[in-house]
Amino acid sequence: MEQSDWADVLAPGLDDIAALAMAARASLPPEFAAAAKDVAIRVEDVAPDALLDDLGIDNPLALSGLYEGVPLTQKSVMDPGGHSDVIWLFRRAIVDEWAARGDVTLDVLVTHVFVHELAHHLGWSDGDIAAIDRWWE
């Protein structure tokens, strides 16, 4: 590839990651689509410092996604309203992992992170997810 071939190439932006996450949600099987439809998707460059501190994470590029909310398995009709469930995706961590791996497309990686966080919304633990998704191998 010549140097001029890179002239119009930019790193994926926040809107690009959000569009990929929305496409991932749109492609879910019906049994999961219903659970995902009310979960907001938010994309930021990196997780806020306060959140990283709460999680004990020093490197902001170590967190690519986060589910914030009450899992469906723990929700009750007695819960107070007004707290929406959110799947956070952190663009720089996702792009960093995408570049470092070099063996997955960006849409596959964003889908993986989105589905992992959606699994938490469904009430799955990291251990439950790891038992069926050996992504790191």
Side-chain angles (χ1 to χ4, degrees), residues 1-131:
M1 183 175 263
E2 292 185 32
Q3 186 174 8
S4 62
D5 293 339
W6 293 96
D8 295 324
V9 177
L10 300 174
L14 298 173
D15 291 342
D16 299 316
I17 301 298
L20 291 171
M22 296 298 286
R25 177 165 47 195
S27 69
L28 289 170
E31 61 271 21
F32 297 112
K37 72 178 176 55
D38 294 327
V39 179
I41 297 171
R42 298 271 168 79
V43 182
E44 297 291 335
D45 268 327
V46 293
D49 289 338
L51 175 63
L52 294 169
D53 290 345
D54 287 348
L55 296 172
I57 298 173
D58 294 327
N59 179 359
L61 299 183
L63 184 63
S64 57
L66 181 74
Y67 168 68
E68 180 179 48
V70 178
L72 292 176
T73 55
Q74 298 174 16
K75 286 191 188 275
S76 165
V77 294
M78 303 301 289
D79 289 339
H83 301 287
S84 61
D85 296 300
V86 179
I87 290 176
W88 293 92
L89 301 176
F90 303 112
R91 184 191 73 86
R92 289 190 51 209
I94 290 171
V95 171
D96 186 64
E97 180 177 345
W98 174 54
R101 288 181 65 102
D103 64 350
V104 296
T105 60
L106 185 60
D107 62 325
V108 167
L109 180 57
V110 171
T111 297
H112 169 77
V113 175
F114 172 77
V115 168
H116 179 100
E117 300 311 329
L118 180 63
H120 288 306
H121 174 64
L122 298 173
W124 296 23
S125 70
D126 279 329
D128 295 333
I129 297 166

